[in-house]
Amino acid sequence: MRRFTVAALTAATLGTVLSAAPAQAHHGRPALGPENCAANACHFDVPAGTYDVTVRLGGDSAASTRITGETRRALLPETATAAGEPVSRSFTVNVRTPEGEPTGPDGTPGLDLVIGGSAPELADIRVTPAYRTRQIFLVGDSTVCDQPGDPYSGWGQQLPQYLRKGLSVANHADSGESTVSYLADSRLWATVQPRIRRGDLVLIQLAHNDKQTDEATYRANLETLVAGVRDRGGRPVLVTPIVRRWFNADGTLNNNTALLVNGLGVDHPAVVRSVAAAHDVPLIDLTVRTKALVESLGTEASKALYLYNEKRDNTHTSVHGATVYAGLVRDELVALGLVPAGRTRVG
């Protein structure tokens, strides 16, 4: 990428660029700007919280820029700019400790952003505390979480890039968790629930690791999570699990492995649907959506959604697959009227 120094970046913000994105005070706090950037990275020494980020992209030459941050979260999709026609974009980001998986390492304090893309060009950046924001909490497993390293990615890690400013994803999904373990570990549900505010969304997708959970327990655990969200004034959303890429000879996924029916015969997606209907909870049927997509692609093309080529893994998604599945989640949230239509194009 084009490397920029602090001096060059600061100079680039003079005149029309700076006047388009001034370093205004935000509730008494000055905006943090490009002096916090060097090379392809920006670090802002801020406490845990939620922040609005406004960037000015482009310059004298054609460019194409994307922004990731914290633990590999996709925050702004690749954005093309024509020569001499810079654009402004904004997003909202959640900063917390641990910055990735709740049972993982703390990570780096503050807000860290990476400027990438095929021809990146950052002209200006401003970071301010976000006082009017709505959180989307994610409760889930390794198919949802902020995966720490390539080639893995959870769909929750890719979701922020689809959302407009004012919506922030707080991804508390964690690898290896079932409904049983998520409720039992103090770093998980006991940490998430007190943070929920009135009107926040809480998306719940747990099933892949409930391999030995009986139906009554699985149902009761989902009901506990739903009630806990509502006790805080939040809005629960139940999400059926993404399918495993496990084909039959006839090219379908009509088998227990693919459709998350455990060894005790518990049909996890069916139970999630039943709980959603019984308790009037919005439902995102990601099992149906991902099944249709994987089957339509077939045995070869669908490999790119998962880590089959890299790891012979038919459960965990690649960055590409997680991005596609995050798009399905966002489409359903819009269709349910839970988030406004806004940023839609990724890639």
Side-chain angles (χ1 to χ4, degrees), residues 281-299:
V281 179
L283 174 72
I284 295 176
D285 203 332
L286 204 51
T287 307
V288 165
R289 294 293 303 270
T290 56
K291 178 179 186 289
L293 177 59
V294 172
E295 288 180 340
S296 71
L297 291 173
T299 56

Side-chain angles (χ1 to χ4, degrees), residues 11-256:
T13 64
L14 295 176
T16 59
V17 174
L18 253 185
S19 64
Q24 296 174 341
H26 192 87
H27 289 263
R29 300 183 186 183
L32 299 175
E35 68 277 4
N36 295 278
C37 301
N40 67 336
C42 301
H43 173 76
F44 301 91
D45 187 14
V46 296
T50 305
Y51 295 87
D52 289 332
V53 180
T54 298
V55 294
R56 187 84 165 163
L57 305 177
D60 295 336
S61 303
S64 186
T65 310
R66 71 173 182 270
I67 299 178
T68 58
E70 298 298 87
T71 304
R72 302 175 61 238
R73 296 181 218 159
L75 299 171
L76 189 71
E78 186 129 358
T79 302
T81 50
E85 298 181 12
V87 300
S88 294
R89 295 288 186 269
S90 297
F91 57 88
T92 303
V93 60
N94 174 252
V95 176
R96 62 183 184 275
T97 302
E99 71 178 30
E101 294 182 90
T103 63
D106 284 353
T108 305
L111 170 61
D112 288 282
L113 303 175
V114 176
I115 314 304
S118 58
E121 185 80 37
L122 177 67
D124 191 25
I125 186 167
R126 302 291 161 182
V127 175
T128 54
Y131 291 102
R132 295 179 180 178
T133 188
R134 189 182 185 198
Q135 296 281 20
I136 301 178
F137 289 92
L138 303 182
V139 169
D141 52 35
S142 59
T143 66
V144 184
C145 75
D146 287 351
Q147 290 281 359
D150 284 325
Y152 294 89
S153 181
W155 61 254
Q157 202 164 18
Q158 302 299 323
L159 184 61
Q161 66 187 309
Y162 286 99
L163 304 174
R164 61 169 60 176
K165 177 184 175 182
L167 286 169
S168 172
V169 176
N171 191 351
H172 290 265
D174 196 68
S175 293
E177 306 300 343
S178 65
T179 58
V180 176
S181 63
Y182 204 94
L183 286 167
D185 193 324
S186 62
R187 295 169 294 181
L188 300 172
W189 183 237
T191 296
V192 174
Q193 189 189 22
R195 297 181 180 180
I196 300 169
R197 299 176 302 180
R198 183 165 299 279
D200 286 341
L201 297 178
V202 184
L203 277 56
I204 302 164
Q205 186 218 277
L206 288 166
H208 279 272
N209 300 301
D210 280 279
K211 298 173 183 177
Q212 299 301 319
T213 309
D214 63 77
E215 182 169 338
T217 301
Y218 184 64
R219 179 182 297 274
N221 289 344
L222 292 175
E223 291 172 338
T224 296
L225 291 166
V226 166
V229 174
R230 286 175 167 167
D231 284 347
R232 295 289 301 172
R235 300 192 66 182
V237 180
L238 288 173
V239 184
T240 61
I242 67 169
V243 293
R244 296 190 181 101
R245 185 190 161 277
W246 198 264
F247 282 93
N248 297 329
D250 64 0
T252 70
L253 300 179
N254 297 323
N255 60 76
N256 288 352

Side-chain angles (χ1 to χ4, degrees), residues 258-305:
L259 299 181
L260 281 295
V261 179
N262 75 9
L264 301 179
V266 180
D267 185 332
H268 292 103
V271 176
V272 175
R273 296 178 192 119
S274 175
V275 172
H279 296 276
D280 194 25
V281 179
L283 174 72
I284 295 176
D285 203 332
L286 204 51
T287 307
V288 165
R289 294 293 303 270
T290 56
K291 178 179 186 289
L293 177 59
V294 172
E295 288 180 340
S296 71
L297 291 173
T299 56
E300 288 303 313
S302 64
K303 289 177 180 178
L305 295 172

Side-chain angles (χ1 to χ4, degrees), residues 134 201 235 282 330-341:
R134 189 182 185 198
L201 297 178
R235 300 192 66 182
R330 183 195 173 280
D331 289 346
E332 291 296 303
L333 288 171
V334 172
L336 289 166
L338 296 173
V339 302

